[in-house]
C-alpha cells in the first residue's frame, strides 16, 4: 500500500518537527507501507545535501523523499508560504493522478492544513479517490481551514485527549474516525547511540565537574520560555546552563544578552546531527522544558517534542505544570514547576541537585516510560488504524 506523507516542513535541518516526520515515515515503512515523504524545498545557507539527510537522522534509506521546487526561505512571509504550498502540492497531486496511478488504494497522510487542502478539494469533486488521514498537533477554534479539514478526512490521528474531545464535541466527528496514539519516545534510536554509563562530556568539550541544566530545541529571542530559563541561570551561577539548537541568525542576539546580563554560566550550541544531539542530552544533570502560558495551545494541547528524547536519558526532567504535560507525564517520573515563574524554576533546579535520591527515583520511572512507549509501538497502532478505515 502506497503512503504519501505530506510534510509541512523540509527535513534538511533536524528540528523537532522534521525529526518526528522522519521517524514517522521510518515506522510507516516498517509497518508495510511503500512510503514517499513529500516536502517543500527551503533554501538556507546551512542546509545539508539531500544525500546527507539520512545520516543527519541516523536512519536507513528505507523510504523515498520528494522535494517540491518551492521558492521558500525561513524568512518568507507566511501568506506567501501558504500560497506556494497550496499551488505546488496541487500540481504534485495532479502529477500523481496522471502519471503515478494515485488511486483508492493509496494513502495521503498529512500534518499540514494548507498542503492537504488541494487533495481534499480534488476528492470532493471526485477526481481523487485516495484515503486522506490527518495528524492533528493542535485544535484552533473558529478557523475555517481546520474545520473544513476535519470534516473531509477519512481519519484523524491525535496524541492528546483534549484535542480528541474537541474534535468530537466541536465538529461532531465520529469517534471511530479518531485515533488517540501514545506519546512516542525515541528510546530505540537513543539506546543504539548511547552506551549505558558512558560519559560523553569530554568528547563534546563539556566539563566533567559542572552541574549542567540543559534545554534543547527551538531557541528564539521572542520565546518567553528561553528568557525564563536565562533568569533562572542568573539566580544560580554555580550551575552551568546549556542550550542546544541555536540558529545562526540568532547568535549575535543571544551573545549580546549574555554579555549585558553578565551570564557567564550559559553556553549556546547550534543544531546537531541526531546521534550527537543524543550525546548532549545524556550529559545533562537536569533536562528542562518550560513552556509559558502566553501561547494558549501550550496549556492544554502541546506536549514538548523534546520530551521524547529526555525520557530516554534516565535524568531528572523539569516541566511547566500545565494540563498538556500532566496528561502524559506523572508526578512520579518528572518534576513540575508553575509556568512563568523563573525564580521557582531556579529553586527547583537547586532542590533536584541537592536531593539525589528523589531525582534518581523519578529518573528511573521516566526511563521505564521511554522503554514502554516507543515510536514502534505508537506507529504500529496508527498503521493498524489506517488499514482498518
Amino acid at each position: 500500500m502506497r503512503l504519501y506523507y505530506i510534510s509541512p516542513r523540509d527535513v534538511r535541518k533536524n528540528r523537532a518537527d522534521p525529526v518526528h516526520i522522519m521517524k514517522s515515515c521510518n515506522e510507516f515503512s516498517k509497518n508495510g507501507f511503500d512510503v514517499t515523504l513529500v516536502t517543500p524545498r527551503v533554501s538556507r545557507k546551512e542546509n545539508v545535501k539531500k544525500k546527507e539527510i539520512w545520516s543527519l537522522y541516523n536512519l536507513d534509506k528505507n523510504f523515498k523523499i520528494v522535494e517540491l521546487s518551492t521558492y521558500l526561505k525561513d524568512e518568507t512571509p507566511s501568506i506567501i508560504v501558504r500560497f506556494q504550498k497550496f499551488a505546488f502540492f496541487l500540481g504534485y497531486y495532479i502529477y500523481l493522478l496522471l502519471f503515478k496511478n494515485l488511486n483508492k488504494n493509496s494513502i495521503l497522510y498529512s500534518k499540514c492544513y494548507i498542503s492537504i487542502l488541494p487533495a481534499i478539494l480534488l476528492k470532493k469533486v471526485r477526481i481523487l479517490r485516495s484515503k486522506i488521514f490527518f495528524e492533528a498537533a493542535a485544535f484552533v477554534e473558529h478557523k475555517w481551514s481546520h474545520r473544513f479539514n476535519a470534516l473531509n478526512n477519512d481519519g484523524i490521528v491525535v496524541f492528546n485527549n483534549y484535542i480528541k474531545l474537541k474534535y468530537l464535541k466541536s465538529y461532531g466527528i465520529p469517534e471511530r474516525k479518531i485515533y488517540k496514539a501514545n506519546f512516542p519516545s525515541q528510546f530505540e534510536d537513543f539506546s543504539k547511540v548511547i552506551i549505558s554509563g558512558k560519559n560523553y562530556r569530554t568528547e563534546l568539550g563539556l566539563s566533567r565537574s559542572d552541574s549542567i541544566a540543559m534545554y534543547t530545541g527551538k531557541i528564539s529571542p521572542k520565546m518567553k520560555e528561553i528568557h525564563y530559563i536565562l533568569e533562572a541561570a542568573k539566580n544560580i551561577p554555580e550551575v552551568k546552563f546549556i542550550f542546544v539548537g541555536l540558529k545562526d541568525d540568532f547568535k549575535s542576539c543571544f551573545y549580546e544578552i549574555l554579555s549585558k546580563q553578565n551570564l557567564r554560566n550559559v553556553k549556546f550550541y547550534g543544531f546537531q546531527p541526531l546521534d550527537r544531539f543524543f550525546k548532549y542530552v545524556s550529559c545533562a544533570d537536569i533536562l528542562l522544558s518550560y513552556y509559558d502560558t502566553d501561547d494558549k495551545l501550550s496549556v492544554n494541547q502541546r506536549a514538548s517534542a523534546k520530551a521524547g528524547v529526555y525520557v530516554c536519558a534516565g535524568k531528572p526532567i523539569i516541566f511547566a505544570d500545565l494540563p498538556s504535560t500532566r496528561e502524559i507525564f506523572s508526578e512520579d517520573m518528572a518534576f513540575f514547576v508553575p509556568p512563568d515563574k523563573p525564580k521557582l524554576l531556579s529553586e527547583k533546579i537547586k532542590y533536584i541537585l541537592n536531593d539525589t535520591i528523589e531525582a534518581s527515583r523519578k529518573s528511573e520511572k521516566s526511563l521505564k516510560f521511554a522503554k514502554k512507549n516507543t515510536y514502534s509501538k505508537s506507529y504500529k497502532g496508527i498503521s493498524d488504524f489506517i488499514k482498518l478505515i
Side-chain angles (χ1 to χ4, degrees):
M1 187 181 293
R2 285 181 296 174
L3 184 147
Y4 295 90
Y5 192 112
I6 309 304
S7 171
R9 299 183 183 275
D10 74 304
V11 293
R12 295 210 192 195
K13 194 171 185 180
N14 62 338
R15 296 162 292 183
D17 274 357
V19 169
H20 173 69
I21 289 161
M22 290 289 287
K23 284 287 299 171
S24 302
C25 289
N26 187 56
E27 294 303 327
F28 280 134
S29 178
K30 288 181 183 178
N31 282 293
F33 293 100
D34 179 9
V35 179
T36 298
L37 170 59
V38 190
T39 79
R41 181 180 297 167
V42 178
S43 298
R44 61 173 75 88
K45 59 185 177 183
E46 69 268 31
N47 267 352
V48 299
K49 296 177 181 178
K50 188 173 182 179
K51 65 181 181 180
E52 297 170 338
I53 290 174
W54 306 101
S55 60
L56 185 65
Y57 297 91
N58 204 27
L59 290 174
D60 294 328
K61 193 175 180 180
N62 61 352
F63 57 91
K64 298 182 283 292
I65 298 176
V66 171
E67 294 180 308
L68 304 184
S69 300
T70 46
Y71 301 95
L72 299 178
K73 297 182 179 180
D74 284 336
E75 62 273 17
T76 302
S78 60
I79 186 67
I80 297 176
V81 171
R82 289 195 289 269
F83 174 78
Q84 286 201 40
K85 282 184 177 180
F86 182 90
F88 277 87
F89 275 94
L90 172 60
Y92 184 70
Y93 299 136
I94 292 172
Y95 162 77
L96 291 178
L97 286 165
L98 292 175
F99 301 107
K100 294 295 182 179
N101 193 29
L102 186 66
N103 56 40
K104 64 180 181 181
N105 295 317
S106 304
I107 301 295
L108 297 176
Y109 186 96
S110 181
K111 278 176 58 69
C112 182
Y113 292 94
I114 298 300
S115 302
I116 200 63
L117 179 57
I120 293 173
L121 294 173
L122 289 170
K123 190 167 184 177
K124 284 187 78 68
V125 296
R126 305 188 180 214
I127 294 173
L128 184 146
R129 296 187 296 157
S130 304
K131 288 183 178 177
I132 299 174
F133 291 82
F134 192 79
E135 185 179 301
F139 182 95
V140 182
E141 299 218 50
H142 312 304
K143 198 161 186 179
W144 76 268
S145 59
H146 287 213
R147 182 181 180 86
F148 184 78
N149 179 292
L151 295 174
N152 291 282
N153 274 301
D154 294 283
I156 298 170
V157 175
V158 300
F159 291 88
N160 173 285
N161 277 319
Y162 178 89
I163 297 174
K164 178 180 178 178
L165 289 173
K166 280 298 216 178
Y167 272 108
L168 292 172
K169 293 179 179 179
S170 298
Y171 297 155
I173 306 296
E175 190 162 4
R176 62 179 175 78
K177 292 181 64 175
I178 304 177
Y179 180 76
K180 161 64 171 60
N182 292 330
F183 180 84
S185 85
Q186 295 186 46
F187 178 76
E188 292 153 320
D189 294 330
F190 190 91
S191 59
K192 288 177 185 176
V193 174
I194 301 302
I195 299 171
S196 179
K198 183 173 179 180
N199 193 319
Y200 292 93
R201 289 195 181 189
T202 302
E203 178 183 334
L204 299 174
L206 304 175
S207 170
R208 294 176 70 94
S209 60
D210 283 339
S211 294
I212 294 178
M214 185 178 294
Y215 168 93
T216 70
K218 186 178 180 181
I219 301 171
S220 164
K222 296 180 180 179
M223 293 172 61
K224 280 193 171 182
E225 178 181 10
I226 303 302
H227 292 285
Y228 288 155
I229 296 173
L230 289 175
E231 281 190 55
K234 195 185 303 183
N235 295 332
I236 39 177
E238 67 275 17
V239 177
K240 185 82 169 184
F241 283 74
I242 300 292
F243 292 79
V244 181
L246 181 64
K247 292 172 64 173
D248 290 344
D249 295 347
F250 296 143
K251 279 183 178 179
S252 59
C253 175
F254 278 105
Y255 291 159
E256 185 177 346
I257 290 171
L258 297 187
S259 177
K260 283 183 177 179
Q261 299 186 19
N262 196 30
L263 283 167
R264 298 184 179 181
N265 61 327
V266 177
K267 189 72 181 287
F268 286 92
Y269 295 88
F271 284 95
Q272 307 294 322
L274 207 54
D275 56 349
R276 191 170 175 86
F277 169 66
F278 291 160
K279 291 177 180 178
Y280 272 101
V281 170
S282 75
C283 290
D285 292 295
I286 299 173
L287 292 159
L288 306 174
S289 176
Y290 194 57
Y291 280 162
D292 61 81
T293 54
D294 268 16
D295 181 352
K296 300 306 178 186
L297 295 181
S298 297
V299 176
N300 290 301
Q301 302 190 41
R302 286 187 178 146
S304 173
K306 62 179 71 67
V309 177
Y310 282 6
V311 292
C312 303
K315 301 295 178 72
I317 306 167
I318 295 178
F319 292 116
D321 196 349
L322 297 168
S324 58
T325 310
R326 288 278 190 174
E327 180 184 318
I328 300 169
F329 307 106
S330 63
E331 188 75 46
D332 66 348
M333 61 178 284
F335 294 89
F336 294 91
V337 176
D340 310 309
K341 305 287 184 184
K343 187 173 187 299
L344 293 181
L345 176 61
S346 58
E347 289 173 0
K348 184 65 74 173
I349 291 170
K350 286 193 290 185
Y351 172 81
I352 292 169
L353 292 173
N354 289 327
D355 192 338
T356 56
I357 295 175
E358 185 178 0
S360 178
R361 177 175 56 80
K362 291 195 177 192
S363 299
E364 288 176 11
K365 292 282 188 179
S366 68
L367 183 57
K368 187 177 291 187
F369 173 92
K371 292 177 179 179
K372 183 179 178 181
N373 296 278
T374 61
Y375 260 87
S376 292
K377 181 177 179 179
S378 183
Y379 274 81
K380 175 64 167 62
I382 295 172
S383 298
D384 290 345
F385 169 69
I386 291 172
K387 292 171 184 177
L388 283 173
I389 294 291

